[in-house]
Amino acid sequence: MLSGLLTEYWATGETEAADLERMTRLAASAPDPWSRGLLPLHFTASALVVHPPTGRVLLRWHARQERWLQVGGHGDPGERDPLAIALREAAEETGLADLTPWPDAALRHAVICDVRASATESAHQHADLRFILATQEPNAVKPENDLSPLRWLTVDEALTLAGANNLSRTLDRVKALLR
């Protein structure tokens, strides 16, 4: 499933093409490319949650990264489907029960992200596969904890918060889809 998803994906630009090549090699060579123990690089899946009627996007504060980002994370043991991982993680982190792929289930961004060291993990990288999910109930949002607030923003407001972060490329793609 993972190799097929990567093979069908078209990278935009040299950086994304290089990231995609590294991801493809990882998917082909690692016994479990989703394993958190696989350092310095392993797969994660994330999503930018949108409310299409208002054109707003949902960002989550990530204390470890000290920035506003999309929702998502690691696959649980045995999970292999990137979209299913992104859906599960998004529901856990937002409390939204009605999330669906939008406008379809396509992979929207493949990017390698640097992750800071923590007390339990050394610095490493995530091969992040990003999707877009929609909700029709934006007011039902509920952060999973007090350290991870959520904010609904216009795409332009989110772009300002993202700055030079690679999330800005994902937001540009969402902006084009919302038009």
Side-chain angles (χ1 to χ4, degrees):
M1 169 172 274
L2 184 56
S3 293
L5 181 70
L6 296 172
T7 301
E8 294 170 6
Y9 182 74
W10 289 96
T12 303
E14 291 179 22
T15 300
E16 190 174 10
D19 286 355
L20 183 61
E21 175 59 31
R22 283 185 66 200
M23 290 178 180
T24 302
R25 284 195 313 268
L26 176 63
S29 65
D32 181 4
W34 295 94
S35 173
R36 287 182 88 143
L38 187 62
L39 298 178
L41 177 66
H42 58 265
F43 278 95
T44 56
S46 66
L48 195 57
V49 176
V50 300
H51 181 239
T54 62
R56 294 180 301 158
V57 297
L58 185 65
L59 295 185
R60 176 185 188 261
W61 178 253
H62 285 258
R64 182 172 176 182
Q65 295 298 322
E66 297 180 339
R67 61 179 52 175
W68 291 94
L69 297 171
Q70 74 283 357
V71 295
H74 295 90
D76 286 344
E79 285 185 312
R80 300 284 182 268
D81 180 345
L83 179 57
I85 293 167
L87 279 161
R88 178 188 50 75
E89 285 283 330
E92 289 173 1
E93 293 180 6
T94 67
L96 294 170
D98 71 334
L99 294 170
T100 57
W102 184 88
D104 54 39
L107 175 63
R108 296 295 171 173
H109 196 185
V111 61
I112 293 180
C113 309
D114 294 325
V115 180
R116 295 176 180 172
S118 71
T120 58
E121 290 181 318
S122 60
H124 60 280
Q125 293 181 310
H126 286 169
D128 195 38
L129 303 174
R130 295 184 184 165
F131 299 88
I132 302 170
L133 303 177
T135 181
Q136 295 305 314
E137 301 292 334
N139 295 332
V141 72
K142 183 177 185 275
E144 68 180 325
N145 61 55
D146 292 339
L147 300 175
S148 305
L150 300 164
R151 288 179 63 186
W152 283 107
L153 304 159
T154 66
V155 175
D156 288 336
E157 290 168 337
L159 281 163
T160 298
L161 281 179
N165 185 301
N166 58 47
L167 173 59
S168 63
R169 302 291 71 76
T170 310
L171 287 162
D172 286 340
R173 294 168 190 194
V174 167
K175 191 174 188 174
L177 288 168
L178 286 167
R179 285 192 191 121

